Amino acid sequence: MANTPRKRRQTPASKPESGRFYYKGSRLKPLQAFCQVARLGSVSRAAEALFLSQPAVSLQLKALESHYGVPLLERVGRRLSLTREGQVLYDLARPLLEGFEGLDEAFRDSQQGLDGGEVNIAAGSSTLLHLLPAPLAAFRAQRPEVRVHLHSVTGRAGLEKLRADEVDFAVGAMWEVPNDIDYAPLQRFDAMLITAPGHPLAKKAKPTLEDLSPHGLILPPKQLSTWRMVTTAFEQRRVPYRVAIEVGGWEVIKQYVAQGLGIAIVSALCLTDADRGRLVAKPLREYFPSRSYGVLVRKGKTLSAPARAFVDLIKPGLFQRRDWFEAGHSER
């Protein structure tokens, strides 16, 4: 009897099972990509933050939506926003990812305890001189074994350190708060005109911008918020102004004003009792809003135990539970 060839058994092509996830066997990376896109509103910006290509992030988002069977993001204008289902997933995934991202630091803290480790803080010179000494002294008394590293930076440099996680948090004033930064205001200070005692404006009870116009201004560098605040006020009222000296640091500016090199508009934060004999200060509330100083952290950052202890000394409970997808805002 002739051998009849056996029919080869047909194996149906495997299909993904419902409810299972197929992206390199991991859900972590797609969730990270999803949360970054939700936070930044853009695939390209998320890809840059994750050091990935845009197609890689798009594939991760597609895999996540395919797994859950619902759209998670939708385009609103130029920005990608969460759908209703996406918001639910974001709220569930965000604390899990925060915990994962903070795992290494939390583990080190558990080994060292609150009496070990390091706190890195970014702040400008005036904040270092006038706002931080009290909480710093209290922290040193409570946690003497923790090394505190103070980074004297302001403006964009401070934000870059926050975003790169080179510092735990920053303390200072903000003109505009970026979308990826959380800001908790603590104290407010008026804008003050300062002159030398013999200056003609020293005798003016309520100087106007027109009174200031003929005199040379001493301003911080252009990239700082004070320059924008001062020049915007003059330009909005169409009052001419002249910048005589551009220099950084309130202490330097106060010294130059005292020597009669110009006038300046500074935050009341930097004025002390020792300045009364060498400077005349007058509030300019009619033209400039008060400036708030506070604590800044990168949205989504989990503070280490030492950093958490320091922030609680400044104000208890800051950043305990805030959604870092919410748009940043300025209190000014």
Side-chain angles (χ1 to χ4, degrees), residues 62-139:
K62 185 177 179 181
L64 206 59
E65 290 187 326
S66 176
H67 170 68
Y68 288 110
V70 293
L72 301 173
L73 294 156
E74 60 185 356
R75 186 165 294 282
V76 178
R78 299 180 63 183
R79 181 182 177 88
L80 284 173
S81 297
L82 292 169
T83 63
R84 184 183 63 178
E85 295 83 0
Q87 185 67 57
V88 172
L89 179 61
Y90 179 81
D91 290 339
L92 292 171
R94 181 183 55 80
L96 298 176
L97 290 176
E98 287 181 12
F100 180 81
E101 291 170 358
L103 180 61
D104 291 346
E105 197 162 15
F107 178 76
R108 287 193 295 269
D109 290 340
S110 71
Q111 303 300 304
Q112 296 173 338
L114 282 177
D115 292 333
E118 181 176 277
V119 177
N120 283 269
I121 306 169
S125 57
S126 290
T127 303
L128 292 173
L129 284 171
H130 304 294
L131 278 184
L132 280 181
L136 179 60
F139 184 78

Side-chain angles (χ1 to χ4, degrees), residues 218-231:
I218 303 177
L219 292 181
K222 290 182 180 179
Q223 67 267 25
L224 299 184
S225 60
T226 298
W227 179 291
R228 297 197 302 273
M229 178 186 73
V230 171
T231 57

Side-chain angles (χ1 to χ4, degrees), residues 193-196 199 201 212 215-219 257 261-265:
L193 167 69
I194 57 172
T195 71
H199 194 278
L201 291 177
L212 274 58
H215 306 282
L217 292 168
I218 303 177
L219 292 181
V257 170
L261 299 178
I263 62 174
I265 299 167

Side-chain angles (χ1 to χ4, degrees), residues 10-323:
Q10 296 293 326
T11 304
S14 60
K15 295 181 180 180
E17 299 174 23
S18 176
R20 294 190 61 186
F21 188 82
Y22 288 87
Y23 188 86
K24 300 181 181 179
S26 171
R27 202 173 309 181
L28 177 62
K29 290 183 178 180
L31 283 174
Q32 288 174 325
F34 166 69
C35 285
Q36 285 283 12
V37 172
R39 182 169 68 90
L40 299 173
S42 162
V43 170
S44 60
R45 293 178 64 190
E48 184 179 350
L50 293 167
F51 301 100
L52 296 173
S53 66
Q54 292 185 38
V57 173
S58 296
L59 283 173
Q60 290 173 340
L61 295 176
K62 185 177 179 181
L64 206 59
E65 290 187 326
S66 176
H67 170 68
Y68 288 110
V70 293
L72 301 173
L73 294 156
E74 60 185 356
R75 186 165 294 282
V76 178
R78 299 180 63 183
R79 181 182 177 88
L80 284 173
S81 297
L82 292 169
T83 63
R84 184 183 63 178
E85 295 83 0
Q87 185 67 57
V88 172
L89 179 61
Y90 179 81
D91 290 339
L92 292 171
R94 181 183 55 80
L96 298 176
L97 290 176
E98 287 181 12
F100 180 81
E101 291 170 358
L103 180 61
D104 291 346
E105 197 162 15
F107 178 76
R108 287 193 295 269
D109 290 340
S110 71
Q111 303 300 304
Q112 296 173 338
L114 282 177
D115 292 333
E118 181 176 277
V119 177
N120 283 269
I121 306 169
S125 57
S126 290
T127 303
L128 292 173
L129 284 171
H130 304 294
L131 278 184
L132 280 181
L136 179 60
F139 184 78
R140 294 293 302 140
Q142 292 183 13
R143 309 282 185 253
E145 300 304 317
V146 176
R147 179 168 174 256
V148 179
H149 186 179
L150 300 175
H151 302 251
S152 182
V153 290
T154 56
R156 294 175 184 173
L159 291 176
E160 287 173 3
K161 285 188 175 292
L162 277 178
R163 292 181 172 123
D165 284 333
E166 295 177 10
V167 296
D168 296 291
F169 60 91
V171 182
M174 288 295 292
W175 181 255
E176 294 176 346
V177 182
N179 196 57
D180 60 338
I181 299 296
D182 262 333
Y183 176 64
L186 300 174
Q187 298 184 49
R188 303 192 74 89
F189 297 90
D190 285 336
M192 306 291 289
L193 167 69
I194 57 172
T195 71
H199 194 278
L201 291 177
K203 300 177 182 179
K204 286 274 186 180
K206 289 186 177 181
T208 65
L209 292 188
E210 288 75 12
D211 293 329
L212 274 58
S213 179
H215 306 282
L217 292 168
I218 303 177
L219 292 181
K222 290 182 180 179
Q223 67 267 25
L224 299 184
S225 60
T226 298
W227 179 291
R228 297 197 302 273
M229 178 186 73
V230 171
T231 57
T232 298
F234 278 96
E235 290 169 356
Q236 285 179 342
R237 291 166 176 79
R238 298 182 180 181
V239 177
Y241 64 93
R242 179 170 58 88
V243 178
I245 300 174
E246 180 181 334
V247 63
W250 292 130
E251 299 307 310
V252 175
I253 290 175
K254 289 193 299 181
Q255 183 66 26
Y256 284 4
V257 170
Q259 293 175 3
L261 299 178
I263 62 174
I265 299 167
V266 303
S267 169
L269 167 70
C270 73
L271 299 177
T272 66
D273 292 340
D275 294 321
R276 291 180 179 177
R278 62 176 186 148
L279 296 171
V280 174
K282 298 178 182 294
L284 295 172
R285 299 186 188 96
E286 183 178 347
Y287 306 104
F288 302 98
S290 62
R291 301 183 66 186
S292 67
Y293 284 71
V295 181
L296 301 97
V297 299
R298 177 179 61 78
K299 285 188 176 181
K301 182 176 180 61
T302 301
L303 292 175
S304 68
R308 173 81 266 159
F310 199 113
V311 169
D312 283 341
L313 281 174
I314 298 175
K315 186 175 181 180
L318 288 182
F319 311 117
Q320 289 284 15
R321 182 67 169 88
R322 288 185 63 185
D323 191 338

